[in-house]
Amino acid sequence: MARPRGQRGQIKQHGSNWLFVYYLNGKRTHVVLAPVNVYPFRNPEQVREKFSPQISDLLRTANAEVPNAAMLDGLLTLGQYIERVYWKHCEMRQQLESANHMEPSTIHGYRKVYQKHVEGKPITAMQINRITAKDGQDWLNSLPQSLSHKTHLRARAFLSGVFTVALQSNVITGV
């Protein structure tokens, strides 16, 4: 997925002032941040750090129409999200050595659950940010009743983990 575009603006020293230059509604705009003699920084990044709250407010309006990564991920179907985001998240956790480490056997088990019980089901064609608890329950009820209780629990736990990652990355919002 392509990186979402959004502007950062530019810090410049112009005469005796620090300016923040950015585009608003297609027009180049500048805002005086402070006099140079009051803030004698050596480089623009120090000015950006000092005035970051003010700059963030200015950029929020300028970038309001630009979708961020979480919004773009929210447009994916559940199946696309699992394939493009969730498996990468699991592989990243596999590399960790902290309490958040995930064993390769766990990931292998998740992949088997996905292939056998989730992939190809109607729920995987739904946009991830539009899936409701009822949709999840309908999917769970659609699993064959001949499967063991443990298999039902594993399938439910897998999908719960996917939604937990999506919530943590702000792809979906909790109710």
Side-chain angles (χ1 to χ4, degrees), residues 19-120:
L19 298 180
F20 178 65
V21 183
Y22 65 107
Y23 286 87
L24 184 62
N25 299 324
K27 294 188 178 186
R28 187 178 164 132
T29 309
H30 71 274
V31 173
V32 176
L33 294 175
V36 172
N37 61 357
V38 176
Y39 295 99
F41 294 116
R42 292 191 176 266
N43 66 41
E45 286 306 313
Q46 291 173 320
V47 178
R48 182 179 295 278
E49 190 175 310
K50 173 71 177 169
F51 292 99
S52 64
Q54 185 179 355
I55 291 170
S56 293
D57 288 342
L58 293 169
L59 287 177
R60 189 172 298 116
T61 57
N63 290 331
E65 298 301 315
V66 178
N68 62 28
M71 289 168 73
L72 293 175
D73 285 344
L75 298 176
L76 297 175
T77 64
L78 176 63
Q80 291 170 332
Y81 183 81
I82 291 170
E83 293 291 337
R84 296 181 187 176
V85 179
Y86 185 71
W87 294 133
K88 288 179 186 171
H89 174 79
C90 290
E91 290 166 5
M92 182 268 309
R93 284 190 53 196
Q94 185 178 348
Q95 305 304 318
L96 297 176
E97 295 189 17
S98 64
N100 289 330
H101 171 75
M102 188 179 278
E103 290 293 328
S105 60
T106 303
I107 297 170
H108 177 74
Y110 286 171
R111 285 189 187 275
K112 287 183 80 168
V113 166
Y114 175 68
Q115 290 167 351
K116 287 185 175 183
H117 305 295
V118 182
E119 192 174 39

